[in-house]
Amino acid sequence: MNLILFGPPGAGKGTQAKRLVAERGMLQLSTGDMLRAARTSGTELGQRVAGVMDRGELVSDEIVIALIEERLPETEAAGGAIFDGFPRTLAQAEALDRLLKGRGKRIDSVIRLRVDNDALLDRITKRFEDEGRADDNPETFKTRLAAYEAQTAPLIPYYQSQGRLHEVDGMGRVDQVAADIDRALDRVPA
Ligand code: ADP
């Protein structure tokens, strides 16, 4: 099964993706993690994306699509992928559909985590204090949220019109959100 965890920054996608990996053995593909890893290891790609990420803007479609494409073969061996933080633009969503189709696969479900903006700011402020991720500072976070509203939220009607979107309340406790996701996944046709 291929699954997209969808939602604004701070919605809890990474937390839920890690749980699904542990419980179902699927592979998490987080473009944010891949880009941060590229920066940490100081690759040319890492250097190229650093400024954009630190401003809270989106990295180019071309770069993130290539990162995902490279990893697709592994996801098949794992029984499926959890896409976390990808796709973030319509062009990325269309590319993902095309790439999967070329491999005889598809996105089976899109789980949208709904969280209100005040809660997001609280969560990210706390993560900034705990983990010190530079792009979690309140100013940059506003840019990230604006990028989500302008470029990523339009994917909601895209997936809705294909009947693949499932909404989950992301405001509850981590285990409640997890249970709601499991319920949504149980309804996905095999
Ligand atoms: P978030 O907590 O905002 O969901 P991520 O770890 O997913 O954070 O992403 C961090 C940054 O990496 C983004 O602000 C953006 O600059 C870049 N990035 C990650 N995924 C993508 C993507 N699919 N398209 C463009 N940029 C991305």
Side-chain angles (χ1 to χ4, degrees), residues 10-164:
K13 303 183 294 287
T15 303
Q16 294 298 333
K18 287 188 176 65
R19 179 191 65 87
L20 288 164
V21 168
E23 289 175 11
R24 299 182 183 233
M26 297 159 79
L27 200 74
Q28 177 189 7
L29 293 188
S30 158
T31 40
D33 286 351
M34 293 179 207
L35 294 167
R36 277 186 291 276
R39 292 183 64 173
T40 307
S41 51
T43 61
E44 196 239 307
L45 171 75
Q47 291 170 17
R48 213 152 21 113
V49 297
V52 177
M53 289 178 77
D54 289 345
R55 285 195 298 277
E57 296 164 6
L58 293 187
V59 169
S60 76
D61 289 334
E62 195 196 345
I63 288 177
V64 291
I65 291 167
L67 287 174
I68 287 289
E69 184 174 12
E70 228 171 78
R71 303 289 302 277
L72 287 181
E74 279 169 66
T75 67
E76 288 165 20
I82 304 158
F83 295 94
D84 160 14
F86 180 94
R88 257 175 157 95
T89 64
L90 204 51
Q92 292 176 24
E94 288 168 352
L96 181 60
D97 280 344
R98 195 175 59 242
L99 289 170
L100 288 173
K101 197 169 178 198
R103 307 181 67 88
K105 307 281 178 205
R106 64 190 169 100
I107 291 297
D108 299 286
S109 182
V110 181
I111 305 276
R112 175 187 179 196
L113 295 176
R114 298 192 74 132
V115 189
D116 67 55
N117 283 1
D118 292 342
L120 291 178
L121 194 58
D122 286 350
R123 286 183 185 184
I124 293 293
T125 304
K126 186 169 181 310
R127 187 163 81 180
F128 185 49
E129 285 159 7
D130 292 347
E131 298 173 23
R133 211 176 105 178
D135 64 346
D136 279 343
N137 80 70
E139 271 317 301
T140 311
F141 184 69
K142 278 187 204 137
T143 307
R144 286 161 61 198
L145 210 50
Y148 169 81
E149 299 291 350
Q151 293 170 270
T152 309
L155 298 188
I156 295 168
Y158 175 80
Y159 287 118
Q160 210 159 29
S161 69
Q162 299 172 353
R164 293 187 281 179

